[in-house]
């Protein structure tokens, strides 16, 4: 029966991948229905906490976007990239990494990808190099963002093991950032020079390659103000988390848990942006970031619920099968997370589905933290939105998906980045834990 249940889980994930986008959440619900009503398993825990964090954070980001704050951030990024265009392959992932770190979502990369492609093309640099590692960096940075649902949930389940929120960030931020730079180094060596690419030459001769030049964006009056408010909210989140930390202990009996505090700070930030930037609140739900956030909630609901339903009903068998193996070869957890996230398409869903089980079977906190970056393997299958956007925005044809599906420019830089993140996190974590 366990084999049949595994096939149902994989079948639901496959169906969701075929439908794409929010469809993976729908398919997850179908899987839960079959496992419970059809096979009699007890339903797993609904990932309400992760969903509420995503909703509150994305609401604040959507308000900032509606106020013009995202345009302001993109204008800063474009100035940086155009000031040092020859270093685009290294600067591009720094930009997308920092924007994801700041916003808690990789969807912020959408607005910077056209700039990255254009600057690379102007310099005669193969656009696939900076675009590939920029997309990867936007995904990996989720595991280092102070307000991402994956980090907040993971820090919560680590607290009983004596690892708090700040220690997790202290390990994840430097390890993932350095790994992204190493991934950029690898990306800079991949592919033929643009001038030697036959497909580029064909497209150039056909007039399909166009030069856009620097964009002129008129910022809304509240653009800078909205970014400042959002930044204050992030500082407030981290300050409160520090104050209630057991190691700092400034607040011994906090009224709010860290998760609740994040939700309240983000909703308050959205309210402040709406009020002080004079927004029409009814338009915020039409922002692209709001829609992507709500789509992410449905994906997490279906997939994480499906994973928890299977794991919670077989935790004893999983302990017997995987416990000894992971204790002898702890790095295999990162491999499991890598392949799971490749299918689940969500760092939050993968963390919610697998990390509690990993800790329950005896995986050490160090191993769990070091492996955390592996939940960001969303680049393996060339169907993730930011990856597809990078392909579409590169009119030189250098960022293309091969006939074998997996032979695309994101794979090697992504695998290198995650592998180095895991290795560096083991190193940094062993010093701090």
């Amino acid at each position: 029966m366990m084999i049949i249940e595994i096939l149902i889980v994989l079948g639901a994930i496959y169906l969701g991948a075929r439908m794409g986008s929010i469809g993976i959440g729908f398919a997850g619900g179908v899987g839960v229905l079959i496992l419970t009503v059809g096979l009699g398993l007890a339903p797993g825990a609904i990932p309400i906490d992760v969903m509420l964090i995503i909703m509150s954070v994305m609401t604040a980001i959507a308000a900032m976007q509606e106020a013009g704050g995202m345009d302001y951030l993109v204008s800063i990024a474009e100035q940086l990239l155009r000031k040092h265009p020859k270093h685009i392959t290294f600067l591009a992932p720094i930009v997308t990494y920092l924007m994801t770190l700041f916003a808690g979502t990789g969807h912020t990369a959408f607005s910077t990808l056209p700039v990255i492609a254009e600057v690379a093309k102007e310099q005669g640099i193969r656009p696939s190099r900076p675009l590939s590692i920029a997309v990867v960096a936007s995904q990996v940075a989720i595991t280092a963002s102070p307000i991402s649902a994956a980090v907040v949930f993971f820090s919560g389940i680590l607290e009983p093991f004596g690892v708090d929120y700040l220690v997790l960030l202290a390990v994840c931020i430097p390890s993932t950032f350095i790994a992204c730079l190493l991934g950029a180094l690898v990306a800079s060596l991949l592919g033929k020079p643009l001038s030697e690419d036959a497909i580029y030459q064909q497209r150039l001769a056909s007039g399909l390659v166009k030069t856009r030049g620097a964009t002129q964006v008129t910022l809304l009056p509240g653009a800078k103000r909205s970014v400042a408010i959002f930044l204050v909210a992030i500082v407030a989140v981290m300050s409160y988390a520090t104050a209630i930390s057991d190691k700092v202990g400034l607040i011994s009996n906090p009224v709010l848990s860290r998760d609740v505090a994040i939700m309240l700070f983000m909703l308050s930030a959205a309210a402040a942006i709406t009020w002080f930037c004079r927004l029409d609140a009814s338009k915020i739900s039409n922002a692209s970031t709001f829609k992507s956030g709500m789509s992410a909630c449905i994906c997490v609901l279906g997939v994480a619920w499906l994973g928890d339903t299977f794991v919670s009903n077989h935790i004893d068998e999983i302990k017997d099968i995987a416990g000894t193996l992971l204790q002898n070869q702890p790095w295999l957890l990162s491999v499991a997370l890598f392949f799971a996230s490749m299918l689940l398409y969500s760092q939050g869903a993968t963390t919610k589905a697998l990390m509690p089980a990993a800790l329950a079977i005896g995986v050490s906190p160090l191993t769990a933290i070091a492996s955390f970056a592996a939940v960001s393997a969303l680049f393996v299958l060339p169907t993730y939105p930011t990856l597809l956007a990078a392909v579409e925005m590169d009119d030189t044809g250098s960022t293309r998906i091969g006939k074998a599906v997996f032979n695309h420019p994101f794979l090697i830089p992504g695998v290198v980045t995650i592998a180095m993140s895991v290795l560096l996190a083991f190193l940094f974590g062993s010093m701090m834990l």
Side-chain angles (χ1 to χ4, degrees):
M1 285 301 297
M2 188 173 180
I3 294 176
I4 294 175
E5 291 162 10
I6 291 174
L7 291 176
I8 291 171
V9 171
L10 294 177
I13 293 171
Y14 175 76
L15 175 63
R18 289 295 301 271
M19 288 192 288
S21 184
I22 198 172
I24 195 168
F26 303 158
V30 173
V32 174
L33 182 65
I34 296 172
L35 290 178
T36 54
V37 177
L39 301 181
L41 297 187
I46 299 174
I48 294 175
D49 46 357
V50 175
M51 293 165 57
L52 291 177
I53 291 168
I54 293 174
M55 290 173 64
S56 56
V57 171
M58 295 308 294
T59 298
I61 292 173
M64 181 174 68
Q65 180 183 14
E66 193 66 22
M70 293 300 298
D71 290 336
Y72 174 59
L73 292 175
V74 171
S75 68
I76 294 175
E78 182 166 6
Q79 290 174 22
L80 174 64
L81 295 174
R82 291 191 176 280
K83 189 174 182 180
H84 306 282
K86 295 186 182 299
H87 304 296
I88 184 72
T89 305
F90 293 91
L91 290 176
I94 292 175
V95 167
T96 56
Y97 181 96
L98 292 177
M99 289 186 72
T100 299
L101 191 78
F102 172 74
T105 172
H107 291 291
T108 53
F110 279 116
S111 53
T112 60
L113 294 178
V115 178
I116 294 169
E118 194 65 27
V119 173
K121 187 168 54 178
E122 290 172 1
Q123 294 298 311
I125 296 171
R126 187 180 181 88
S128 63
R129 294 172 178 174
L131 283 172
S132 62
I133 189 61
V135 168
V136 169
S138 72
Q139 295 175 0
V140 173
I142 287 289
T143 60
S145 172
I147 57 173
S148 75
V151 167
V152 173
F153 172 77
F154 188 36
S155 65
I157 63 174
L158 283 173
E159 284 183 347
F161 296 88
V163 180
D164 65 15
Y165 174 75
L166 297 177
V167 173
L168 176 61
L169 292 177
V171 174
C172 292
I173 291 176
S175 60
T176 53
F177 182 76
I178 295 172
C180 286
L181 295 180
L182 295 174
L185 178 62
V186 172
S188 69
L189 304 174
L190 297 177
K192 295 180 180 180
L194 190 59
S195 59
E196 299 175 12
D197 190 295
I199 292 179
Y200 167 67
Q201 295 299 337
Q202 292 174 4
R203 293 181 64 83
L204 186 63
S206 302
L208 298 176
V209 180
K210 304 185 183 301
T211 301
R212 179 174 60 89
T215 56
Q216 299 295 326
V217 178
T218 302
L219 296 179
L220 296 175
K224 296 181 181 180
R225 195 177 309 135
S226 68
V227 172
I229 293 171
F230 190 79
L231 181 60
V232 168
I234 294 176
V235 172
V237 166
M238 297 190 67
S239 298
Y240 184 79
T242 301
I244 66 174
S245 168
D246 291 337
K247 294 188 177 180
V248 176
L250 293 179
I251 302 176
S252 56
N253 294 304
V255 175
L256 304 175
S257 67
R258 185 187 58 254
D259 292 7
V260 172
I262 289 176
M263 297 174 203
L264 293 179
F265 282 130
M266 288 295 112
L267 290 175
S268 298
I273 292 171
T274 302
W275 181 263
F276 291 108
C277 298
R278 299 179 181 178
L279 301 182
D280 181 351
S282 64
K283 294 182 179 180
I284 293 175
S285 60
N286 293 322
S288 60
T289 49
F290 184 88
K291 293 177 180 178
S292 66
M294 298 311 107
S295 175
C297 286
I298 298 300
C299 292
V300 169
L301 171 60
V303 172
W305 196 4
L306 174 64
D308 194 78
T309 297
F310 175 78
V311 170
S312 61
N313 281 273
H314 295 287
I315 189 65
D316 292 332
E317 294 96 323
I318 292 172
K319 286 181 180 180
D320 293 337
I321 296 171
T324 303
L325 183 62
L326 287 176
Q327 286 175 0
N328 294 332
Q329 304 289 340
W331 58 272
L332 286 176
L333 176 60
S334 63
V335 176
L337 294 171
F338 183 95
F339 284 104
S341 65
M342 181 181 80
L343 298 172
L344 298 181
Y345 274 10
S346 167
Q347 294 94 333
T350 306
T351 304
K352 177 74 175 181
L354 297 184
M355 279 302 195
L359 293 169
I361 64 177
V363 170
S364 69
L366 173 60
T367 297
I369 293 172
S371 303
F372 185 36
V375 303
S376 297
L378 283 59
F379 54 81
V380 177
L381 296 175
T383 52
Y384 197 74
T386 48
L387 186 153
L388 292 174
V391 173
E392 290 296 322
M393 292 172 186
D394 180 11
D395 60 7
T396 69
S398 71
T399 310
R400 53 184 179 264
I401 300 168
K403 293 181 179 179
V405 180
F406 290 99
N407 57 332
H408 54 75
F410 306 88
L411 186 61
I412 294 176
V415 172
V416 169
T417 299
I418 286 184
M420 295 309 302
S421 294
V422 172
L423 290 173
L424 290 168
F426 266 115
L427 175 63
F428 296 149
S430 63
M431 297 177 184
M432 299 181 192
L433 299 178

